[in-house]
Amino acid sequence: QVRLVESGGGLVQAGGSLRLSCSASGSIFSINTMGWYRQAPGKQRELVARLTTGGSTNYADSVKGRFTISRDNAKNTVYLQMNSLKPEDTAVYQCNAFLRPDSSISAYYTYWGQGTQVTVSS
């Protein structure tokens, strides 16, 4: 079993900052990519940022220059530092991991956390 647990969401005023954390635990042999997605009410889930083990990153255009993704590979943990938050950043943020759960299994699978609410007031 693989479990992703997020923390760090909350309520913040526009212009403020939050730092999200997501730790992966359980049967994990290797992780390829960890990242963050978000879903606002009435909208589709969208990629916010993702980071491969090799250090490659992808960011949504709407967060470039404001959000920074980082990762502690030893702890199987990914972070999202969110600065200069805007009301339009309000959403449920979900952690995502693309990983190989066991050495006897060659395939990689996608896992999701439960999500953490981020609310930015104007």
Side-chain angles (χ1 to χ4, degrees):
Q1 289 281 355
V2 175
R3 189 175 179 216
L4 302 181
V5 178
E6 303 106 332
S7 61
L11 173 65
V12 64
Q13 287 189 331
S17 299
L18 283 174
R19 188 188 192 216
L20 305 183
S21 299
C22 170
S23 293
S25 62
S27 177
I28 299 171
F29 179 69
S30 67
I31 300 177
N32 179 283
T33 304
M34 294 189 79
W36 293 93
Y37 288 71
R38 68 185 181 187
Q39 187 167 20
K43 294 187 176 181
Q44 289 189 331
R45 183 165 60 190
E46 63 174 355
L47 171 70
V48 178
R50 62 186 171 202
L51 174 60
T52 69
T53 302
S56 298
T57 57
N58 295 101
Y59 289 95
D61 288 342
S62 59
V63 307
K64 284 180 181 176
R66 300 188 297 122
F67 291 10
T68 302
I69 190 169
S70 61
R71 189 168 147 184
D72 185 334
N73 292 327
K75 296 181 179 180
N76 291 335
T77 299
V78 65
Y79 306 96
L80 186 67
Q81 179 66 44
M82 305 186 293
N83 298 328
S84 303
L85 282 160
K86 304 175 181 180
E88 51 263 43
D89 294 318
T90 296
V92 174
Y93 285 69
Q94 272 187 293
C95 177
N96 167 281
F98 185 59
L99 61 86
R100 182 178 170 187
D102 190 88
S103 59
S104 65
I105 301 171
S106 61
Y108 283 74
Y109 297 91
T110 299
Y111 295 86
W112 294 92
Q114 294 273 21
T116 185
Q117 177 70 45
V118 171
T119 303
V120 185
S121 63
S122 57

